[in-house]
Amino acid sequence: MGKTEKLTVRKQERLDKYLSAELKTTRNQIEALIKSGYVKVNGKTVKKGGIKLKVGETIEIEYPEVRKSEAKEPGFDVEIIYEDEDILVLNKPSGVTVHPAPSVKEPTLVDWLKKRGVSLSTISGEERHGIVHRIDKETSGVLVIAKNDSAHLSLSKQLQDKSMGRYYLAIIEPPLKEDTVVEKPIGRNPKNRIKMAVVPNGREAKTAFAKIALSKDQKTELIGAKLFTGRTHQIRVHLNAIGRHILGDCLYGFKSRSDKIKRVFLHAYILYLRHPKTGTKMRFVAPLPDDMREFLKKRFDWESINEKIVPEQFDTIFDSVS
């Protein structure tokens, strides 16, 4: 077991809500710790976040250790964009799942981190060491890893107050009629549990989409996407809701062609945040992967695209839709 933290309850409240406020992290992360048996109240392990606390009770959190030996051997490598003693910024390849889950059989990004002996935060529980936010398996691009719990708490708070975020690039068909914002609730698809969907009782979700460049035949388009919330498959679901599909995304409506696009052409291009220790504003860029770059060079005006996706000015393409 890793480090232990003790808290004395100062007001009556639900356990999960109280810990989320005290540790300045998300309820999902707290729930993961509770369900994994890492939280005790008055010396007894609790497994439900909804229990009511009483003033004066003692909460004990035992953060799990990273066990390198348990990691699967990854058959891939990951580009490191930036690293210091608090954070690690990576360019995740398409096809790599971020963290283990019961349905995941192949090695994950967490396995890659463990095998390389990277120091990781443990506040998200045993299966999600260091993971502050995630990217879909099919999506490539920039991702930040917390190397200690202090950094993890700071970055989680930034996610909540929107001072940390990402800009995406996607190749879609058909093209957008105009720049637009989609604000529709997202939840599990009632007819297909693998998919997400716009559903009346779903969680609030908002995405901005901005036109960047049309292909030479004007049938496909490179667009930018900005997330205001972080729901599973959010960009893909919101595009599907307005009759657009990301190339390669067969799960959400793309029809395969003879050229056999082998993965979803969605890339997390830019990550912005404040350094968890110094507070310095930082911006990281994950270069376009080779397959998306080659597709754009072949079917678009590549020089024009380069002028429009300059990282330092990328925010401005959303000026009319944010």
Side-chain angles (χ1 to χ4, degrees):
M1 191 60 63
K3 73 172 186 176
T4 299
E5 184 172 0
K6 290 186 178 181
L7 303 171
T8 300
V9 178
R10 293 177 286 110
K11 64 177 179 177
Q12 289 186 318
E13 200 164 31
R14 282 174 56 113
L15 173 62
D16 53 4
K17 188 176 180 181
Y18 186 81
L19 284 181
S20 180
E22 286 292 313
L23 301 179
K24 296 181 175 60
T25 189
T26 66
R27 293 271 283 274
N28 284 343
Q29 290 167 351
I30 295 301
E31 199 65 36
L33 282 176
I34 294 170
K35 287 182 178 179
S36 298
Y38 295 124
V39 178
K40 295 179 181 179
V41 176
N42 291 339
K44 294 183 179 180
T45 301
V46 294
K47 291 293 187 78
K48 293 184 179 179
I51 68 168
K52 297 292 185 180
L53 298 172
K54 297 178 182 178
V55 174
E57 289 185 315
T58 300
I59 304 173
E60 191 174 335
I61 306 119
E62 297 180 294
Y63 297 107
E65 288 183 318
V66 176
R67 293 196 282 270
K68 179 180 176 181
S69 60
E70 293 183 1
K72 298 175 184 176
E73 187 62 48
F76 57 85
D77 202 8
V78 182
E79 176 191 359
I80 296 175
I81 298 173
Y82 174 85
E83 182 175 14
D84 62 27
E85 63 183 8
D86 298 295
I87 61 174
L88 176 66
V89 182
L90 303 173
N91 186 1
K92 185 191 85 68
S94 174
V96 173
T97 302
V98 171
H99 59 74
S103 60
V104 177
K105 307 303 179 186
E106 72 273 10
T108 66
L109 184 66
V110 168
D111 290 311
W112 181 86
L113 291 164
K114 288 181 179 180
K115 281 295 184 182
R116 277 147 186 79
V118 177
S119 172
L120 300 170
S121 71
T122 57
I123 196 169
S124 284
E126 195 168 350
E127 300 300 329
R128 302 190 182 197
H129 291 304
I131 303 302
V132 181
H133 60 163
R134 59 184 294 279
I135 302 180
D136 295 341
K137 175 181 178 179
E138 299 87 351
T139 306
S140 57
V142 65
L143 184 77
V144 63
I145 304 296
K147 297 177 73 174
N148 53 65
D149 288 341
S150 176
H152 198 132
L153 290 170
S154 173
L155 294 173
S156 293
K157 187 176 181 181
Q158 290 180 48
L159 273 179
Q160 292 178 319
D161 67 21
K162 313 300 183 189
S163 57
M164 169 178 156
R166 279 174 295 189
Y167 293 111
Y168 288 75
L169 291 170
I171 306 175
I172 68 166
E173 64 173 22
L176 297 172
K177 291 181 180 179
E178 59 186 2
D179 295 349
T180 187
V181 172
V182 179
E183 194 164 1
K184 297 177 183 289
I186 291 175
R188 189 67 59 182
N189 188 318
K191 297 181 180 179
N192 183 345
R193 302 298 294 175
I194 297 175
K195 299 173 65 175
M196 307 299 286
V198 170
V199 292
N201 60 343
R203 299 178 69 187
E204 170 193 8
K206 179 181 177 182
T207 316
F209 296 108
K211 299 165 68 70
I212 295 177
L214 281 172
S215 61
K216 294 173 183 176
D217 63 8
Q218 300 192 342
K219 292 182 179 180
T220 57
E221 184 174 33
L222 176 67
I223 65 167
K226 177 183 178 181
L227 296 178
F228 294 88
T229 51
R231 310 302 174 217
T232 301
H233 297 178
Q234 180 173 321
I235 292 172
R236 301 158 67 184
V237 171
H238 274 173
L239 282 170
N240 187 45
I242 60 172
R244 269 68 183 171
H245 316 289
I246 300 175
L247 270 60
D249 191 3
C250 299
L251 186 63
Y252 290 101
F254 174 73
K255 305 300 182 185
S256 181
R257 296 196 296 264
S258 57
D259 55 2
K260 300 292 183 183
I261 296 170
K262 296 180 180 179
R263 65 100 161 188
V264 179
F265 276 174
L266 176 62
H267 181 68
Y269 182 47
I270 295 171
L271 168 73
Y272 57 90
L273 52 80
R274 296 191 310 270
H275 191 275
K277 183 174 290 182
T278 67
T280 304
K281 289 185 178 181
M282 307 181 80
R283 175 171 291 217
F284 305 100
V285 180
L288 275 167
D290 291 343
D291 52 1
M292 285 185 69
R293 183 186 299 271
E294 289 307 310
F295 187 92
L296 291 169
K297 283 185 174 180
K298 184 176 180 180
R299 294 171 171 82
F300 290 69
D301 181 343
W302 178 243
E303 289 187 10
S304 174
I305 287 175
N306 267 334
E307 293 174 359
K308 294 177 180 178
I309 63 171
V310 175
E312 295 76 18
Q313 302 172 11
F314 196 79
D315 318 51
T316 60
I317 71 170
F318 296 96
D319 285 348
S320 64
V321 289
S322 298

